[in-house]
Amino acid sequence: MAEQTLIARLRAHARTLLGALRTVPRGIWLKLAGLVLIVLTGTALIAFTPLGDYFTWENIQATLDQIGAQWWAPIVFILLFIISAAIAIPPSPLVMAGGAVFGIALGTLWNVIGLFLGALIAYIIGRSLGRDFIAHIAGESLKKAEAVFDQRGFWPLVQARFLPMPFAFMNYGAALAGVKPVQYLITTILGLLPTTLMHTTFASMVVRAEGGDAKAWWSLAWGIAFVGVGVLTNLPTLRAELRRRKRKKEMREESERVVSETAD
């Protein structure tokens, strides 16, 4: 009986979804197709063109070393972040190259600016081209999702930036899921700062290691990055647990006080 009920519900949801898809205006379909094309562009470039072989930490570092003395080098570097984020190319090689070429301080600065602007552009593209489709299909469910993000989504969104999730998935996913612009911007910068600092420091330490010290620096840098990401990932959970225990303690003390007053 339960299985039949579940199947009936699934069929009802499928009919509702198909009905909604049939009523999607042509203009919304065209915008969605544009979004899909933009996102797939990066995958196609990496998989089927020489860019896939070039887009490595070492090659990007070599290019930056050649133009590093030019005043416009950071601008070109940041533009690479923006373009790669828009077409869903992973930014990790750029982050590592930034630490290797510019050092810890400037490398972190340019990396954070590039990642943030790239995330912003991807969010704008996703919201402009895909949000109407999601709103048409989801309807009231999208409003409910927005309400959930407004009330309880802040720290989970920050925490998600610490996880090894695709950069494009985070950016476009937030745009389609109904995360509002201000919340997206704040949680993005808070999530990017610590992880970018760690990865930039890692790259800077490794590239400056010489001879027999290189292996030791690799181990130390990876250890710092691993521990750092682990701590940052669990900070919101630890904070919530401490608050829960504090509330539980206060409730227990209040209960004991009431019992004591009643007994008196």
PDB file of all heavy atoms in Angstrom, residues 136-148:
ATOM      1  N   HIS A 136       9.656  29.490 -13.021  1.00  0.00           N
ATOM      2  CA  HIS A 136       8.491  28.974 -13.733  1.00  0.00           C
ATOM      3  C   HIS A 136       8.196  27.529 -13.343  1.00  0.00           C
ATOM      4  O   HIS A 136       7.044  27.148 -13.184  1.00  0.00           O
ATOM      5  CB  HIS A 136       8.731  29.067 -15.246  1.00  0.00           C
ATOM      6  CG  HIS A 136       7.512  28.784 -16.055  1.00  0.00           C
ATOM      7  ND1 HIS A 136       6.629  29.773 -16.468  1.00  0.00           N
ATOM      8  CD2 HIS A 136       6.997  27.613 -16.532  1.00  0.00           C
ATOM      9  CE1 HIS A 136       5.643  29.237 -17.151  1.00  0.00           C
ATOM     10  NE2 HIS A 136       5.837  27.921 -17.204  1.00  0.00           N
ATOM     11  N   ILE A 137       9.266  26.743 -13.182  1.00  0.00           N
ATOM     12  CA  ILE A 137       9.097  25.327 -12.863  1.00  0.00           C
ATOM     13  C   ILE A 137       8.784  25.125 -11.371  1.00  0.00           C
ATOM     14  O   ILE A 137       7.891  24.362 -11.003  1.00  0.00           O
ATOM     15  CB  ILE A 137      10.362  24.530 -13.231  1.00  0.00           C
ATOM     16  CG1 ILE A 137      10.586  24.578 -14.744  1.00  0.00           C
ATOM     17  CG2 ILE A 137      10.266  23.085 -12.762  1.00  0.00           C
ATOM     18  CD1 ILE A 137       9.483  23.986 -15.568  1.00  0.00           C
ATOM     19  N   ALA A 138       9.521  25.815 -10.519  1.00  0.00           N
ATOM     20  CA  ALA A 138       9.396  25.585  -9.078  1.00  0.00           C
ATOM     21  C   ALA A 138       8.218  26.321  -8.462  1.00  0.00           C
ATOM     22  O   ALA A 138       7.608  25.844  -7.507  1.00  0.00           O
ATOM     23  CB  ALA A 138      10.691  25.985  -8.375  1.00  0.00           C
ATOM     24  N   GLY A 139       7.935  27.516  -8.970  1.00  0.00           N
ATOM     25  CA  GLY A 139       6.807  28.267  -8.435  1.00  0.00           C
ATOM     26  C   GLY A 139       6.994  28.638  -6.972  1.00  0.00           C
ATOM     27  O   GLY A 139       7.997  29.241  -6.582  1.00  0.00           O
ATOM     28  N   GLU A 140       6.042  28.247  -6.143  1.00  0.00           N
ATOM     29  CA  GLU A 140       6.071  28.572  -4.723  1.00  0.00           C
ATOM     30  C   GLU A 140       7.247  27.909  -4.002  1.00  0.00           C
ATOM     31  O   GLU A 140       7.711  28.405  -2.980  1.00  0.00           O
ATOM     32  CB  GLU A 140       4.757  28.148  -4.057  1.00  0.00           C
ATOM     33  CG  GLU A 140       3.555  28.966  -4.486  1.00  0.00           C
ATOM     34  CD  GLU A 140       3.711  30.428  -4.093  1.00  0.00           C
ATOM     35  OE1 GLU A 140       4.228  30.698  -2.987  1.00  0.00           O
ATOM     36  OE2 GLU A 140       3.317  31.293  -4.892  1.00  0.00           O
ATOM     37  N   SER A 141       7.716  26.786  -4.533  1.00  0.00           N
ATOM     38  CA  SER A 141       8.837  26.089  -3.899  1.00  0.00           C
ATOM     39  C   SER A 141      10.088  26.960  -3.890  1.00  0.00           C
ATOM     40  O   SER A 141      10.893  26.905  -2.951  1.00  0.00           O
ATOM     41  CB  SER A 141       9.129  24.774  -4.630  1.00  0.00           C
ATOM     42  OG  SER A 141       8.025  23.895  -4.539  1.00  0.00           O
ATOM     43  N   LEU A 142      10.272  27.772  -4.933  1.00  0.00           N
ATOM     44  CA  LEU A 142      11.424  28.663  -4.984  1.00  0.00           C
ATOM     45  C   LEU A 142      11.329  29.724  -3.896  1.00  0.00           C
ATOM     46  O   LEU A 142      12.326  30.055  -3.257  1.00  0.00           O
ATOM     47  CB  LEU A 142      11.528  29.321  -6.354  1.00  0.00           C
ATOM     48  CG  LEU A 142      12.720  30.264  -6.557  1.00  0.00           C
ATOM     49  CD1 LEU A 142      14.034  29.519  -6.363  1.00  0.00           C
ATOM     50  CD2 LEU A 142      12.675  30.905  -7.946  1.00  0.00           C
ATOM     51  N   LYS A 143      10.115  30.241  -3.664  1.00  0.00           N
ATOM     52  CA  LYS A 143       9.942  31.229  -2.600  1.00  0.00           C
ATOM     53  C   LYS A 143      10.246  30.623  -1.234  1.00  0.00           C
ATOM     54  O   LYS A 143      10.829  31.273  -0.364  1.00  0.00           O
ATOM     55  CB  LYS A 143       8.516  31.785  -2.633  1.00  0.00           C
ATOM     56  CG  LYS A 143       8.199  32.585  -3.883  1.00  0.00           C
ATOM     57  CD  LYS A 143       6.783  33.129  -3.840  1.00  0.00           C
ATOM     58  CE  LYS A 143       6.466  33.932  -5.090  1.00  0.00           C
ATOM     59  NZ  LYS A 143       5.084  34.467  -5.077  1.00  0.00           N
ATOM     60  N   LYS A 144       9.844  29.366  -1.043  1.00  0.00           N
ATOM     61  CA  LYS A 144      10.138  28.687   0.207  1.00  0.00           C
ATOM     62  C   LYS A 144      11.644  28.498   0.379  1.00  0.00           C
ATOM     63  O   LYS A 144      12.189  28.666   1.473  1.00  0.00           O
ATOM     64  CB  LYS A 144       9.430  27.339   0.260  1.00  0.00           C
ATOM     65  CG  LYS A 144       7.914  27.438   0.335  1.00  0.00           C
ATOM     66  CD  LYS A 144       7.265  26.058   0.341  1.00  0.00           C
ATOM     67  CE  LYS A 144       5.752  26.150   0.400  1.00  0.00           C
ATOM     68  NZ  LYS A 144       5.100  24.809   0.364  1.00  0.00           N
ATOM     69  N   ALA A 145      12.330  28.145  -0.720  1.00  0.00           N
ATOM     70  CA  ALA A 145      13.791  27.976  -0.660  1.00  0.00           C
ATOM     71  C   ALA A 145      14.471  29.291  -0.324  1.00  0.00           C
ATOM     72  O   ALA A 145      15.417  29.322   0.474  1.00  0.00           O
ATOM     73  CB  ALA A 145      14.307  27.442  -2.000  1.00  0.00           C
ATOM     74  N   GLU A 146      14.001  30.379  -0.904  1.00  0.00           N
ATOM     75  CA  GLU A 146      14.563  31.702  -0.603  1.00  0.00           C
ATOM     76  C   GLU A 146      14.375  32.042   0.872  1.00  0.00           C
ATOM     77  O   GLU A 146      15.277  32.608   1.512  1.00  0.00           O
ATOM     78  CB  GLU A 146      13.897  32.762  -1.479  1.00  0.00           C
ATOM     79  CG  GLU A 146      14.282  32.663  -2.942  1.00  0.00           C
ATOM     80  CD  GLU A 146      13.557  33.692  -3.787  1.00  0.00           C
ATOM     81  OE1 GLU A 146      12.549  34.261  -3.297  1.00  0.00           O
ATOM     82  OE2 GLU A 146      13.993  33.931  -4.926  1.00  0.00           O
ATOM     83  N   ALA A 147      13.204  31.709   1.414  1.00  0.00           N
ATOM     84  CA  ALA A 147      12.942  31.985   2.829  1.00  0.00           C
ATOM     85  C   ALA A 147      13.879  31.182   3.724  1.00  0.00           C
ATOM     86  O   ALA A 147      14.375  31.690   4.740  1.00  0.00           O
ATOM     87  CB  ALA A 147      11.486  31.669   3.164  1.00  0.00           C
ATOM     88  N   VAL A 148      14.130  29.932   3.351  1.00  0.00           N
ATOM     89  CA  VAL A 148      15.040  29.085   4.135  1.00  0.00           C
ATOM     90  C   VAL A 148      16.444  29.662   4.108  1.00  0.00           C
ATOM     91  O   VAL A 148      17.127  29.738   5.145  1.00  0.00           O
ATOM     92  CB  VAL A 148      15.039  27.645   3.590  1.00  0.00           C
ATOM     93  CG1 VAL A 148      16.152  26.823   4.244  1.00  0.00           C
ATOM     94  CG2 VAL A 148      13.691  26.986   3.848  1.00  0.00           C
TER      95      VAL A 148
END
